[in-house]
Amino acid sequence: MKMKQFRGCSRLYYATITVGENGTVTYSTPIKVGEVKSISREISSESEEVWADNKIDDTVFGGTAVTRTFGMTRLAPEVEAALLGNKSIEVGTTNKIKLYGTPADGSARPYLAFGYALHDGNVNRPCEVVWAYKGIVNSITKTANTIDRGTGSEGQEINVTFNAPDKAWTKTSGNELDFYMPLDSKVDNSALVNKWFAKVITPDNAETELA
C-alpha cells in the first residue's frame, strides 16, 4: 500500500510529570497547548568511531535525544507559564491583575509529556497519534511585526528536547522516548483517538486505557 505524505497536524497536548520518592512516574491530566500550525521532529545520537589496524573497527553509539518543534498560534499566558515554569503573581484586591515573570535560570522548568496527532490530508481523521515522554522546553519564541498591509503573524514556536525516561518500561524492558499509534485515516477511529488523548498513554497502560 502506498503511504501518503504527512499533511496536517492537530491535538497538541501536554501533561506535567511528577516523580515520587520511589521513582514512580505519574502524569497529570493532559491539557491542550493551543492551536498547532506545524510539528517537526529531529532524532540525534552521539557516536564515536573506534579505529584499529588503520580501519574503523567499531562504532559506539551514545544516548539518543529527540528534539521537537511545535509551531503555534499565540499561546495563552497561563499555558506558556506552565511550560516554562514561570512564576505568576496577583496584585490588587477588587480587580485582581495577574503578572508573569521569567526566572533567572531554567531550573524551575518542569518535565513534560507531549501528545499530538499527524494527518495525511484527511482533516478530521489522523493517520498517527503520538505521546512523547520526559521533555523539557528549551525555548518559546515571541515575535511581533509592525502592522501594515502585508505583514502577517509569525505565531510562536515551542522547542522541546526529549530524553529517555529514567526507568525502563515494564512492557518493553526498554527506555523508549516516545510511542506512536498508526491509524487508517479512511476509518472512523474517533473513539480510540479520544482515549489516546484523555490520558498520557504509555506502553505500560495502553492495554488498559485503549481496550
Side-chain angles (χ1 to χ4, degrees), residues 10-67:
S10 65
R11 294 192 182 223
L12 180 60
Y13 287 84
Y14 77 92
T16 304
I17 297 173
T18 302
V19 181
E21 293 182 0
N22 60 352
T24 301
V25 176
T26 56
Y27 302 92
S28 66
T29 301
I31 298 172
K32 188 173 182 180
V33 178
E35 304 301 319
V36 61
K37 299 166 62 177
S38 64
I39 295 173
S40 64
R41 182 192 70 174
E42 181 180 347
I43 300 175
S44 62
S45 295
E46 297 294 332
S47 63
E48 179 182 355
E49 295 176 343
V50 180
W51 286 73
D53 291 336
N54 302 319
K55 67 182 187 321
I56 297 176
D57 184 66
D58 193 11
T59 301
V60 179
F61 289 92
T64 297
V66 177
T67 301

Side-chain angles (χ1 to χ4, degrees), residues 134-205:
K134 202 181 178 185
I136 192 163
V137 174
N138 296 317
S139 63
I140 299 179
T141 64
K142 184 183 289 186
T143 60
N145 297 318
T146 184
I147 298 173
D148 60 27
R149 293 183 179 181
T151 304
S153 171
E154 294 185 10
Q156 294 183 260
E157 280 192 347
I158 307 170
N159 183 270
V160 188
T161 295
F162 297 85
N163 293 297
D166 295 329
K167 294 181 66 175
W169 305 108
T170 302
K171 186 74 172 180
T172 67
S173 300
N175 299 70
E176 289 81 5
L177 285 73
D178 52 48
F179 274 88
Y180 66 92
M181 179 171 63
L183 298 166
D184 186 349
S185 61
K186 297 178 181 178
V187 178
D188 183 7
N189 288 306
S190 55
L192 184 59
V193 172
N194 289 336
K195 288 182 179 179
W196 183 267
F197 293 107
K199 291 184 178 180
V200 176
I201 301 300
T202 72
D204 292 342
N205 70 9

Side-chain angles (χ1 to χ4, degrees), residues 82-135:
L83 297 180
L84 290 173
N86 289 355
K87 291 186 177 181
S88 64
I89 60 172
E90 288 187 343
V91 297
T93 53
T94 304
N95 298 316
K96 291 186 177 181
I97 301 171
K98 184 166 283 190
L99 308 178
Y100 297 90
T102 303
D105 60 64
S107 60
R109 294 184 185 181
Y111 281 110
L112 305 163
F114 283 85
Y116 56 88
L118 300 177
H119 297 248
D120 60 8
N122 190 317
V123 174
N124 298 312
R125 296 175 182 173
C127 65
E128 184 175 299
V129 288
V130 181
W131 272 110
Y133 318 103
K134 202 181 178 185

